[in-house]
Amino acid sequence: MKKLAIASDHAGFELKESIIAYLHDKGVELEDFGPENNDRVDYPDYGISIAQAIREKKVDRGIVICGTGVGMSIVVNRFPGIRGTLCSDLYTTKMCREHNDSNILIMGGRVIGKGLAEEIVTMWLDTPFEGGRHQKRLDKIKELDRKLETKGDL
Ligand code: RB5
């Protein structure tokens, strides 16, 4: 089983807690990167910690939740090698694993309900990357990351 981590801001806290309980019941282990309560915090701090943990190979994949999922999307996708995907439906969730090899699932705690979020998490965890023609496209993104990292520009 791959190592999984989860984090949120205050707006995603309630959904984070319910996803942790849901996965715990299913026997899926995951590391909670916080926060510990719903006191107001800044989503970049929590998005950054998950993205860095993946880049440092401390965990394989992550789930991040803020109010809309937009703030977390902006933050995690700044990191080379991170493929964060904002999901609020099952089709996008399936495709983002099969085609994009999503390594961070992003959800909006003020957008979707607990039941749908649980289905999204399960599909995201269980759907494998298809590879093939999609790998070629990911290689192009990797090459773009490399150019941006070395030159700071295109
Ligand atoms: C917090 O109020 C909210 O701005 C945040 O959770 C997120 O939705 C930002 O994109």
Side-chain angles (χ1 to χ4, degrees):
M1 184 65 193
K2 288 185 175 294
K3 262 188 130 188
L4 184 66
I6 191 167
S8 72
D9 70 355
H10 52 288
F13 176 75
E14 203 180 308
L15 186 57
K16 171 174 76 75
E17 294 302 296
S18 80
I19 294 298
I20 290 170
Y22 170 71
L23 290 177
H24 181 77
D25 286 351
K26 282 171 68 89
V28 177
E29 279 187 38
L30 79 171
E31 204 175 331
D32 184 2
F33 279 33
E36 287 176 4
N37 56 48
N38 64 358
D39 290 352
R40 191 165 292 149
V41 291
D42 300 324
Y43 61 81
D45 297 333
Y46 292 88
I48 288 167
S49 67
I50 292 278
Q52 281 178 334
I54 292 174
R55 279 175 56 80
E56 289 162 10
K57 300 194 189 311
K58 290 179 181 151
V59 298
D60 300 292
R61 281 158 71 177
I63 299 172
V64 294
I65 309 168
C66 62
T68 58
V70 172
M72 286 294 197
S73 299
I74 293 169
V75 170
V76 301
N77 283 311
R78 302 181 84 84
F79 289 80
I82 296 299
R83 295 174 300 279
T85 52
L86 176 54
C87 294
S88 51
D89 67 85
L90 291 172
Y91 178 74
T92 304
T93 305
K94 186 166 181 279
M95 289 301 120
C96 81
R97 285 292 311 136
E98 288 183 351
H99 290 194
N100 312 112
D101 197 16
S102 164
N103 55 9
I104 296 188
L105 169 64
I106 307 159
M107 295 185 289
R110 291 173 176 164
V111 178
I112 58 170
K114 185 174 169 256
L116 177 56
E118 290 175 356
E119 286 191 41
I120 286 173
V121 166
T122 299
M123 180 164 280
W124 184 78
L125 286 174
D126 293 350
T127 305
F129 175 51
E130 267 182 12
R133 69 185 191 279
H134 304 296
Q135 183 58 56
K136 189 182 96 184
R137 292 159 187 166
L138 294 193
D139 290 344
K140 291 194 174 186
I141 297 172
K142 204 172 179 184
E143 176 62 11
L144 174 64
D145 282 343
R146 196 191 61 76
K147 282 183 184 162
L148 289 169
E149 266 184 315
T150 53
K151 291 188 187 164
D153 202 348
L154 297 176

